[in-house]
Amino acid sequence: MGLRISEVCTLKGDAYYIQNGDCWMKVYQVKMKNYKRVPIPVTLYRLMQVYLKKHPTKKEAYIFRNRKGGAFSKSTFMGQMKKYCSQIGIQNGEYIFKSHDYRHTVATNFYEHGVSIQSIRDYLGHTFEEMTMQYIDYMPRKIAKENDAYFEEEESSLLACMQKGEKHG
């Protein structure tokens, strides 16, 4: 979803809901000090409903609580993920789920599908578009795509270039 770990850790019992047939998640943006609504797949909504039934949570309580009832810290979240990965045999328990990396992936995917920089900025909770641009990994992909297109042309192939060299010395 491209959330910060702090946003995941501060999800509350009323975070997941359906409105007009669409599934949503209400996220508190710690850095921006406000809430945003994020559309989510129905599968995620259903998974979280199962989780919330197993771990009953009041609307105003944190879903992922520490022993005192407060929100998980980043280190607790990562520790729990490592433990879970180890239990189910993912990467020998190595922590491979890095939510911040997914923020870059989500931003790049949005950009590649025509979402405006301003909308991506708002989704990520950035104040300035310059920060959002740093999250979009568009240049390497764009260069690779243009490079592939160029060399797909018959006259641009390595063989064609070598033949040109023979003709022109």
Side-chain angles (χ1 to χ4, degrees):
M1 300 307 305
L3 302 176
R4 296 176 178 103
I5 288 180
S6 60
E7 293 169 347
V8 173
C9 291
T10 57
L11 290 172
K12 294 196 175 179
D14 63 350
Y16 299 92
Y17 61 97
I18 295 177
Q19 185 177 30
N20 299 326
D22 296 319
C23 298
W24 296 89
M25 177 172 47
K26 183 173 70 170
V27 179
Y28 183 71
Q29 295 178 299
V30 176
K31 286 188 174 185
M32 302 301 288
K33 296 184 179 7
N34 65 5
Y35 283 91
K36 70 175 178 179
R37 291 173 13 128
V38 178
I40 59 172
V42 68
T43 304
L44 175 59
Y45 175 81
R46 289 178 182 157
L47 284 170
M48 287 309 299
Q49 295 310 303
V50 170
Y51 180 88
L52 291 169
K53 280 186 180 180
K54 287 183 180 178
H55 307 276
T57 305
K58 293 181 182 178
K59 288 183 178 187
E60 65 281 352
Y62 294 111
I63 294 173
F64 307 109
R65 295 181 293 275
N66 62 28
R67 291 184 181 142
K68 295 180 182 178
F72 265 8
S73 67
K74 178 181 173 180
S75 59
T76 301
F77 178 84
M78 290 171 48
Q80 291 292 327
M81 286 298 288
K82 282 182 183 180
K83 180 180 171 184
Y84 185 69
C85 288
S86 180
Q87 287 174 351
I88 62 173
I90 296 176
Q91 292 286 326
N92 297 321
E94 181 182 330
Y95 181 69
I96 57 171
F97 302 103
K98 298 182 176 153
S99 66
H100 202 83
D101 291 349
Y102 293 126
R103 289 174 61 75
H104 290 263
T105 303
V106 166
T108 301
N109 191 31
F110 281 163
Y111 184 78
E112 288 176 345
H113 286 87
V115 177
S116 71
I117 295 295
Q118 295 82 9
S119 295
I120 299 169
R121 180 200 65 210
D122 291 345
Y123 182 88
L124 294 176
H126 293 153
T127 304
F128 302 104
E129 290 173 22
E130 293 79 11
M131 177 59 77
T132 304
M133 292 295 290
Q134 291 178 19
Y135 275 67
I136 298 171
D137 305 322
Y138 65 95
M139 285 309 288
R141 288 184 188 188
K142 185 174 182 176
I143 291 168
K145 185 177 176 183
E146 294 296 325
N147 191 43
D148 289 344
Y150 176 78
F151 283 109
E152 283 178 6
E153 297 173 12
E154 192 172 313
E155 66 273 3
S156 301
S157 71
L158 180 57
L159 179 60
C161 291
M162 290 174 67
Q163 289 173 343
K164 285 178 192 176
E166 288 175 9
K167 293 177 187 175
H168 304 291

